Amino acid sequence: MPKSSRGRRGLGVTTLKKAVFYWECIAILGCQQTNDMQREEIRFVQARYHQLNLNAEQAEKVLQFENMKDSQSQTHFFSAWEEFDFEYSVFQSLLNEDQMVQYQQRVGEIREMHIERLIEQDNSNEIWSNQMREQVDYVKNELIPSILSDIPRRATLSLGRDPSKIQYLKANYETFLHDRRKQILVDHFRHNKTYAPIQLQSAMLGHYASCLLPNYAAFESWADEPTRAVLGFVRGTLSRRNSEVTEFYLGKLSESKAFFQQIKEKYNRHFDGWHTWAPDPIPEEDENRNWLMSMLLLDRNAYGFEYPG
């Protein structure tokens, strides 16, 4: 082999060895930095739980617990109470007897502060609860009776080539109401236990309002594909209804909107300087369609649900 070729080959081998050595050094430094960062995180954990006097091994396990607890998820999350229980189960397994005494005192204080915050927040819900109660009383005692008393108009609105579709939708709406009530109860007690009775009362009043005056938009969002197909068919027949009948129901929509606006202004006076949230308005055509579909779903007995006491 010519001398120049051997030289170029030797140079290539040398360059390769240098590159390997360089990346080995980078890897070692990276591992060193990772270890340094982990030791720093462990020291932070020991500082946060200084009352417990955690050793390095315990702090490392606490760090693993915190990473697991805070791992990202778009669908699953802990309530405060579930997080308390998860933490307790972990600390119970790694603390000694003296540390456990200190931990129980610490977590007891945190729980008490959380309870106080829930009670304070719930007391602030009193105004919202009164507003919801007044709205429900109007729907129950004035709006719905004025609609149901005009049976000929309502019968005309519900006429179709297949009236059984209306009964099918009403049966599914009743299932929706039961599902929604269960969701309200599960979510409430999951997050609040028994420390927010006013909030629960407001939520149940809101649910009862949907029993009296069907919430078509929420129902449509909840419904499965076969039910949505029937909803689409029935919705398509609304444009062929008697204009006098349609005007009657849309007049009731205007009456209800005027009343709800008065109630909103009455109770918003209690929140001077606050920004009160309101849903974005929907196009008038969609609003009218949703209202007429709600009229089709009306049930004289509020689907068997009773006024929440």
Side-chain angles (χ1 to χ4, degrees):
M1 178 180 296
K3 183 176 180 180
S4 59
S5 298
R6 289 197 302 269
R8 286 195 297 270
R9 181 180 179 185
L11 180 61
V13 171
T14 301
T15 302
L16 178 60
K17 288 181 178 179
K18 288 181 179 180
V20 170
F21 176 74
Y22 171 79
W23 288 112
E24 286 178 345
C25 290
I26 292 296
I28 292 171
L29 289 172
C31 291
Q32 183 65 42
Q33 289 177 343
T34 300
N35 292 335
D36 290 343
M37 290 177 60
Q38 187 172 12
R39 282 194 291 269
E40 190 68 19
E41 289 177 336
I42 288 174
R43 284 195 290 270
F44 282 144
V45 169
Q46 289 174 315
R48 283 203 307 274
Y49 297 92
H50 62 90
Q51 307 97 326
L52 303 181
N53 194 26
L54 298 175
N55 60 39
E57 183 181 357
Q58 290 174 319
E60 184 176 4
K61 290 181 179 179
V62 171
L63 181 61
Q64 292 172 355
F65 151 73
E66 291 182 341
N67 289 336
M68 185 186 306
K69 179 192 68 175
D70 298 332
S71 59
Q72 293 185 352
S73 173
Q74 298 297 322
T75 54
H76 302 291
F77 58 93
F78 289 108
S79 71
W81 301 106
E82 291 163 345
E83 193 169 305
F84 288 150
D85 290 342
F86 181 28
E87 180 185 283
Y88 190 90
S89 69
V90 171
F91 278 65
Q92 189 177 38
S93 66
L94 63 88
L95 299 181
N96 61 40
E97 186 174 344
D98 292 338
Q99 289 173 319
M100 196 63 191
V101 172
Q102 291 294 322
Y103 171 73
Q104 288 176 325
Q105 179 180 347
R106 174 183 176 276
V107 78
E109 293 171 354
I110 294 175
R111 284 173 179 261
E112 284 301 317
M113 286 190 294
H114 182 63
I115 291 172
E116 290 174 5
R117 186 161 54 250
L118 287 176
I119 294 173
E120 182 179 353
Q121 290 174 347
D122 192 50
N123 290 334
S124 70
N125 288 324
E126 185 72 41
I127 295 173
W128 297 114
S129 181
N130 292 338
Q131 178 179 348
M132 181 60 68
R133 187 177 297 279
E134 191 165 344
Q135 291 178 175
V136 168
D137 287 344
Y138 162 74
V139 172
K140 177 180 175 61
N141 300 321
E142 297 184 38
L143 179 62
I144 299 302
S146 73
I147 294 173
L148 292 179
S149 63
D150 202 318
I151 297 300
R153 295 181 190 271
R154 186 161 182 269
T156 302
L157 182 67
S158 63
L159 285 178
R161 286 179 293 180
D162 190 354
S164 63
K165 285 184 169 57
I166 305 299
Q167 295 306 314
Y168 170 83
L169 293 177
K170 293 182 73 172
N172 276 271
Y173 187 76
E174 182 176 357
T175 300
F176 161 74
L177 289 174
H178 283 281
D179 183 73
R180 177 60 184 146
R181 182 178 64 177
K182 185 67 170 288
Q183 180 185 2
I184 291 171
L185 293 171
V186 169
D187 287 348
H188 178 84
F189 287 104
R190 180 187 180 199
H191 293 282
N192 303 289
K193 292 197 172 183
T194 59
Y195 301 111
I198 299 173
Q199 180 179 330
L200 177 60
Q201 181 74 5
S202 298
M204 296 308 292
L205 282 168
H207 177 266
Y208 185 63
S210 296
C211 302
L212 294 166
L213 183 61
N215 186 337
Y216 171 75
F219 175 50
E220 183 183 39
S221 177
W222 170 89
D224 57 19
E225 287 303 321
T227 304
R228 289 185 185 182
V230 177
L231 286 170
F233 172 85
V234 174
R235 190 170 58 242
T237 66
L238 291 176
S239 61
R240 301 195 293 271
R241 298 301 179 218
N242 184 295
S243 59
E244 181 184 351
V245 175
T246 300
E247 288 176 6
F248 169 78
Y249 287 106
L250 295 183
K252 292 300 178 181
L253 171 60
S254 297
E255 290 177 19
S256 66
K257 288 174 66 176
F259 176 83
F260 291 140
Q261 181 62 31
Q262 291 177 0
I263 292 296
K264 178 182 177 181
E265 293 172 356
K266 171 183 175 180
Y267 284 94
N268 278 0
R269 291 199 300 268
H270 297 283
F271 301 98
D272 291 339
W274 286 30
H275 173 74
T276 54
W277 176 86
D280 294 332
I282 63 174
E284 182 179 0
E285 182 179 354
D286 292 340
E287 182 182 36
N288 292 345
R289 179 206 65 180
N290 291 353
W291 178 262
L292 292 175
M293 291 296 291
S294 294
M295 295 299 97
L296 289 176
L297 296 171
L298 277 178
D299 183 79
R300 181 179 295 276
N301 298 314
Y303 287 91
F305 289 84
E306 297 182 356
Y307 191 101

